[in-house]
Amino acid sequence: MPVPPFGCTFSGAPNLEHVLAVANEEGFVRLYDTEAQTTSKLIFKEWQAHSNAVFDLAWVPGEHRIVTASGDQTAKVWDVRAGELLGICKGHQCSLKSVAFSRFEKAVFCTGGRDGNIMVWDTRCNKKDGFYRQVNQISGAHNVVDKQTPSKLKKKRQNLRGLAPLVDFQQSVTVVLLQDEHTLISAGAVDGVIKVWDLRKNYAAYRQDPVPFKSFCYPGTSTRKLGYSSLVLDSTGANLFANCTDDSIYMFNMTNLRTTPVAVFSGHQNSTFYIKSSTSPDDQFLVSGSSDCNAYIWK
């Protein structure tokens, strides 16, 4: 049986721009030479990165290194040329769903997980017990407010003091993105809110209800619990395209104070969290996958 690919991304390193890295459900990473003349030369490297699914992967900006985010609750840093494991990032309590770098920083990346946490990692920091540890953490980044009676809530709060929020799939972080060195954008599975975080703030002190620097509330009309499966910035970093599970892609402007979308793209279907989109290098086109097995392109 064919194994579904979960993540695919082109290298940004000089002379490697034609190399496509693809990660799949069985934990394998394959490097494709998209300029190969014959299909036999298409795959030029393959290795098992994890014994569990790899849900996302990201190239270290301009380098021959990759970070993989897996269902085994870790992220791993790889040297692609040597096929060597450089380090393991340990801290999440559930599957990692997303990993991203800032274009400006090679050592710092972020991950988002099904445990509702966002973690920031810095490969320059010394490892502890052989593992990288997060340098910043946003716990319960997309928690849905629990409508409980105050007394129940108080009891629950006391039990949770000093502990991370309870793991609950309902509050999964589905996508993380770094706009620049200290601005992180995230989305979740059910709260319908896109949040912007200032990483100069130490969120580790906020175990329950971290407050984002800016929020984009759900702009549509659906009454179902909704989330986002993909977040993409154009090349200027000014426009954000967000794939929502209400079958729309919302375009938000990141440079002004307006939090309503400047455009909405529709026509495709988005019924899973595996639907992703991408912009063309000249910012003229937006392409998205779709649950009806087609790709859709908008001008």
Side-chain angles (χ1 to χ4, degrees), residues 11 17 19 22 36 40-41 53 74 79 89 91 102 118 130 135 154 159 171-172 178 208 213 236-237 250 254 276:
S11 164
E17 287 97 341
V19 173
V22 180
S40 62
K41 291 201 177 101
T74 70
D79 179 323
C89 305
S102 144
I118 294 167
V135 292
K154 211 170 179 185
N159 297 346
Q171 298 166 1
S172 171
L178 282 167
Q208 269 319 75
F213 141 75
T236 64
Y250 296 101
M254 302 302 287
K276 310 285 180 191

mmCIF file of all heavy atoms in Angstrom, residues 11 17 19 22 36 40-41 53 74 79 89 91 102 118 130 135 154 159 171-172 178 208 213 236-237 250 254 276:
data_model
loop_
_atom_site.group_PDB
_atom_site.id
_atom_site.type_symbol
_atom_site.label_atom_id
_atom_site.label_comp_id
_atom_site.label_asym_id
_atom_site.label_seq_id
_atom_site.Cartn_x
_atom_site.Cartn_y
_atom_site.Cartn_z
ATOM 1 N N SER A 11 14.213 22.770 -0.325
ATOM 2 C CA SER A 11 15.389 23.345 0.324
ATOM 3 C C SER A 11 15.559 24.797 -0.121
ATOM 4 O O SER A 11 15.192 25.158 -1.234
ATOM 5 C CB SER A 11 16.627 22.548 -0.077
ATOM 6 O OG SER A 11 17.789 23.279 0.224
ATOM 7 N N GLU A 17 18.066 24.234 -4.342
ATOM 8 C CA GLU A 17 16.669 24.685 -4.404
ATOM 9 C C GLU A 17 15.754 23.688 -5.119
ATOM 10 O O GLU A 17 14.539 23.750 -5.005
ATOM 11 C CB GLU A 17 16.563 26.045 -5.109
ATOM 12 C CG GLU A 17 17.069 27.206 -4.273
ATOM 13 C CD GLU A 17 18.506 27.587 -4.601
ATOM 14 O OE1 GLU A 17 19.227 26.759 -5.206
ATOM 15 O OE2 GLU A 17 18.904 28.717 -4.250
ATOM 16 N N VAL A 19 15.848 20.501 -4.575
ATOM 17 C CA VAL A 19 15.698 19.301 -3.744
ATOM 18 C C VAL A 19 14.444 19.419 -2.872
ATOM 19 O O VAL A 19 14.274 20.382 -2.133
ATOM 20 C CB VAL A 19 16.951 19.078 -2.864
ATOM 21 C CG1 VAL A 19 16.713 17.934 -1.883
ATOM 22 C CG2 VAL A 19 18.153 18.780 -3.742
ATOM 23 N N VAL A 22 10.457 15.027 1.515
ATOM 24 C CA VAL A 22 9.102 14.535 1.767
ATOM 25 C C VAL A 22 9.143 13.554 2.948
ATOM 26 O O VAL A 22 9.974 12.654 2.975
ATOM 27 C CB VAL A 22 8.528 13.819 0.522
ATOM 28 C CG1 VAL A 22 7.119 13.301 0.800
ATOM 29 C CG2 VAL A 22 8.507 14.762 -0.679
ATOM 30 N N ALA A 36 15.836 15.697 -11.902
ATOM 31 C CA ALA A 36 16.317 14.414 -12.456
ATOM 32 C C ALA A 36 15.613 14.113 -13.773
ATOM 33 O O ALA A 36 14.417 14.370 -13.931
ATOM 34 C CB ALA A 36 16.057 13.295 -11.456
ATOM 35 N N SER A 40 14.280 6.845 -12.108
ATOM 36 C CA SER A 40 15.168 6.029 -11.284
ATOM 37 C C SER A 40 16.130 6.892 -10.468
ATOM 38 O O SER A 40 16.616 6.485 -9.425
ATOM 39 C CB SER A 40 15.957 5.060 -12.164
ATOM 40 O OG SER A 40 16.760 5.791 -13.074
ATOM 41 N N LYS A 41 16.400 8.132 -10.970
ATOM 42 C CA LYS A 41 17.328 9.018 -10.251
ATOM 43 C C LYS A 41 16.603 10.030 -9.367
ATOM 44 O O LYS A 41 17.208 10.909 -8.788
ATOM 45 C CB LYS A 41 18.192 9.773 -11.266
ATOM 46 C CG LYS A 41 19.189 8.886 -12.001
ATOM 47 C CD LYS A 41 20.321 9.745 -12.585
ATOM 48 C CE LYS A 41 21.368 8.878 -13.252
ATOM 49 N NZ LYS A 41 21.249 8.827 -14.701
ATOM 50 N N ALA A 53 4.971 8.299 12.692
ATOM 51 C CA ALA A 53 4.734 9.225 11.573
ATOM 52 C C ALA A 53 5.507 10.529 11.742
ATOM 53 O O ALA A 53 5.674 11.014 12.861
ATOM 54 C CB ALA A 53 3.242 9.537 11.476
ATOM 55 N N THR A 74 8.799 13.780 19.676
ATOM 56 C CA THR A 74 10.082 14.474 19.582
ATOM 57 C C THR A 74 10.229 15.168 18.230
ATOM 58 O O THR A 74 9.532 14.834 17.262
ATOM 59 C CB THR A 74 11.282 13.501 19.725
ATOM 60 O OG1 THR A 74 11.351 12.662 18.554
ATOM 61 C CG2 THR A 74 11.191 12.646 20.970
ATOM 62 N N ASP A 79 21.638 16.139 9.772
ATOM 63 C CA ASP A 79 22.566 16.589 8.736
ATOM 64 C C ASP A 79 22.258 15.737 7.502
ATOM 65 O O ASP A 79 22.435 14.522 7.521
ATOM 66 C CB ASP A 79 24.011 16.370 9.183
ATOM 67 C CG ASP A 79 25.014 16.796 8.118
ATOM 68 O OD1 ASP A 79 24.737 16.599 6.917
ATOM 69 O OD2 ASP A 79 26.084 17.313 8.478
ATOM 70 N N CYS A 89 14.916 16.845 20.244
ATOM 71 C CA CYS A 89 14.215 17.838 21.074
ATOM 72 C C CYS A 89 13.086 17.139 21.813
ATOM 73 O O CYS A 89 12.177 16.580 21.204
ATOM 74 C CB CYS A 89 13.630 18.944 20.201
ATOM 75 S SG CYS A 89 14.850 19.736 19.159
ATOM 76 N N GLY A 91 10.189 17.307 25.008
ATOM 77 C CA GLY A 91 9.446 18.211 25.888
ATOM 78 C C GLY A 91 7.939 18.112 25.687
ATOM 79 O O GLY A 91 7.171 18.250 26.632
ATOM 80 N N SER A 102 12.364 30.751 11.466
ATOM 81 C CA SER A 102 12.307 32.111 10.934
ATOM 82 C C SER A 102 13.318 32.160 9.791
ATOM 83 O O SER A 102 14.316 31.455 9.813
ATOM 84 C CB SER A 102 12.692 33.103 12.034
ATOM 85 O OG SER A 102 13.411 34.179 11.498
ATOM 86 N N ILE A 118 3.137 25.141 22.532
ATOM 87 C CA ILE A 118 4.078 25.623 21.518
ATOM 88 C C ILE A 118 5.433 25.690 22.218
ATOM 89 O O ILE A 118 5.518 26.184 23.348
ATOM 90 C CB ILE A 118 3.687 27.024 21.015
ATOM 91 C CG1 ILE A 118 2.354 26.966 20.268
ATOM 92 C CG2 ILE A 118 4.780 27.605 20.110
ATOM 93 C CD1 ILE A 118 1.743 28.338 20.006
ATOM 94 N N GLY A 130 21.610 14.780 27.045
ATOM 95 C CA GLY A 130 21.694 14.412 25.629
ATOM 96 C C GLY A 130 20.568 14.932 24.768
ATOM 97 O O GLY A 130 20.536 14.704 23.561
ATOM 98 N N VAL A 135 13.532 26.532 25.068
ATOM 99 C CA VAL A 135 13.983 27.778 25.702
ATOM 100 C C VAL A 135 12.809 28.699 26.014
ATOM 101 O O VAL A 135 12.935 29.651 26.770
ATOM 102 C CB VAL A 135 15.016 28.520 24.815
ATOM 103 C CG1 VAL A 135 16.314 27.734 24.735
ATOM 104 C CG2 VAL A 135 14.472 28.792 23.416
ATOM 105 N N LYS A 154 -12.454 26.320 40.518
ATOM 106 C CA LYS A 154 -11.488 26.646 41.566
ATOM 107 C C LYS A 154 -10.764 25.375 42.015
ATOM 108 O O LYS A 154 -9.554 25.322 42.143
ATOM 109 C CB LYS A 154 -12.222 27.283 42.748
ATOM 110 C CG LYS A 154 -11.370 28.280 43.500
ATOM 111 C CD LYS A 154 -12.215 29.056 44.485
ATOM 112 C CE LYS A 154 -11.352 30.044 45.244
ATOM 113 N NZ LYS A 154 -12.105 30.722 46.294
ATOM 114 N N ASN A 159 -5.754 21.907 41.744
ATOM 115 C CA ASN A 159 -5.080 20.655 41.371
ATOM 116 C C ASN A 159 -4.005 20.901 40.321
ATOM 117 O O ASN A 159 -3.043 20.154 40.225
ATOM 118 C CB ASN A 159 -6.082 19.650 40.795
ATOM 119 C CG ASN A 159 -7.119 19.261 41.835
ATOM 120 O OD1 ASN A 159 -6.921 19.531 43.010
ATOM 121 N ND2 ASN A 159 -8.204 18.647 41.398
ATOM 122 N N GLN A 171 -7.637 20.666 22.142
ATOM 123 C CA GLN A 171 -6.907 21.924 22.203
ATOM 124 C C GLN A 171 -5.577 21.855 21.465
ATOM 125 O O GLN A 171 -4.669 22.631 21.721
ATOM 126 C CB GLN A 171 -6.769 22.309 23.670
ATOM 127 C CG GLN A 171 -8.183 22.499 24.221
ATOM 128 C CD GLN A 171 -8.286 22.564 25.723
ATOM 129 O OE1 GLN A 171 -7.312 22.496 26.430
ATOM 130 N NE2 GLN A 171 -9.500 22.701 26.208
ATOM 131 N N SER A 172 -5.511 20.941 20.522
ATOM 132 C CA SER A 172 -4.297 20.732 19.737
ATOM 133 C C SER A 172 -3.868 21.995 18.996
ATOM 134 O O SER A 172 -4.694 22.732 18.468
ATOM 135 C CB SER A 172 -4.560 19.618 18.720
ATOM 136 O OG SER A 172 -3.497 19.507 17.809
ATOM 137 N N LEU A 178 6.913 31.217 12.109
ATOM 138 C CA LEU A 178 7.662 32.362 12.633
ATOM 139 C C LEU A 178 7.664 33.466 11.582
ATOM 140 O O LEU A 178 8.149 33.267 10.473
ATOM 141 C CB LEU A 178 9.098 31.956 12.989
ATOM 142 C CG LEU A 178 9.247 31.195 14.305
ATOM 143 C CD1 LEU A 178 10.630 30.576 14.421
ATOM 144 C CD2 LEU A 178 8.985 32.081 15.507
ATOM 145 N N GLN A 208 -1.555 28.532 32.374
ATOM 146 C CA GLN A 208 -2.911 28.249 31.908
ATOM 147 C C GLN A 208 -3.378 29.123 30.757
ATOM 148 O O GLN A 208 -3.763 28.623 29.722
ATOM 149 C CB GLN A 208 -3.918 28.412 33.058
ATOM 150 C CG GLN A 208 -4.223 27.186 33.874
ATOM 151 C CD GLN A 208 -4.367 25.911 33.082
ATOM 152 O OE1 GLN A 208 -3.401 25.356 32.630
ATOM 153 N NE2 GLN A 208 -5.560 25.412 32.915
ATOM 154 N N PHE A 213 -0.231 38.639 21.743
ATOM 155 C CA PHE A 213 -0.049 40.046 21.486
ATOM 156 C C PHE A 213 -1.124 40.527 20.509
ATOM 157 O O PHE A 213 -1.549 41.657 20.517
ATOM 158 C CB PHE A 213 1.409 40.182 21.015
ATOM 159 C CG PHE A 213 1.700 41.135 19.922
ATOM 160 C CD1 PHE A 213 1.703 42.488 20.159
ATOM 161 C CD2 PHE A 213 2.030 40.684 18.641
ATOM 162 C CE1 PHE A 213 2.017 43.371 19.143
ATOM 163 C CE2 PHE A 213 2.340 41.575 17.642
ATOM 164 C CZ PHE A 213 2.328 42.921 17.889
ATOM 165 N N THR A 236 6.656 38.784 1.284
ATOM 166 C CA THR A 236 6.901 40.043 2.001
ATOM 167 C C THR A 236 6.661 39.886 3.498
ATOM 168 O O THR A 236 7.086 40.716 4.297
ATOM 169 C CB THR A 236 5.949 41.154 1.500
ATOM 170 O OG1 THR A 236 4.598 40.778 1.826
ATOM 171 C CG2 THR A 236 6.073 41.357 -0.002
ATOM 172 N N GLY A 237 5.950 38.820 3.887
ATOM 173 C CA GLY A 237 5.601 38.635 5.295
ATOM 174 C C GLY A 237 4.407 39.477 5.710
ATOM 175 O O GLY A 237 4.004 39.486 6.865
ATOM 176 N N TYR A 250 -8.650 32.241 4.387
ATOM 177 C CA TYR A 250 -8.757 33.655 4.751
ATOM 178 C C TYR A 250 -7.400 34.329 4.600
ATOM 179 O O TYR A 250 -6.379 33.792 5.015
ATOM 180 C CB TYR A 250 -9.264 33.794 6.188
ATOM 181 C CG TYR A 250 -10.664 33.250 6.368
ATOM 182 C CD1 TYR A 250 -10.880 31.993 6.940
ATOM 183 C CD2 TYR A 250 -11.775 33.976 5.937
ATOM 184 C CE1 TYR A 250 -12.162 31.476 7.084
ATOM 185 C CE2 TYR A 250 -13.063 33.467 6.077
ATOM 186 C CZ TYR A 250 -13.256 32.225 6.648
ATOM 187 O OH TYR A 250 -14.530 31.715 6.784
ATOM 188 N N MET A 254 -0.952 41.419 7.978
ATOM 189 C CA MET A 254 -0.230 41.342 9.256
ATOM 190 C C MET A 254 0.391 42.676 9.659
ATOM 191 O O MET A 254 0.981 42.781 10.724
ATOM 192 C CB MET A 254 0.874 40.291 9.165
ATOM 193 C CG MET A 254 0.372 38.898 8.803
ATOM 194 S SD MET A 254 -0.859 38.279 9.964
ATOM 195 C CE MET A 254 0.170 37.922 11.393
ATOM 196 N N LYS A 276 -3.030 21.633 2.899
ATOM 197 C CA LYS A 276 -2.051 22.720 3.038
ATOM 198 C C LYS A 276 -2.112 23.628 1.819
ATOM 199 O O LYS A 276 -2.601 23.237 0.768
ATOM 200 C CB LYS A 276 -0.621 22.151 3.136
ATOM 201 C CG LYS A 276 -0.446 21.036 4.154
ATOM 202 C CD LYS A 276 -0.436 21.541 5.575
ATOM 203 C CE LYS A 276 -0.267 20.393 6.553
ATOM 204 N NZ LYS A 276 -0.500 20.783 7.923
#
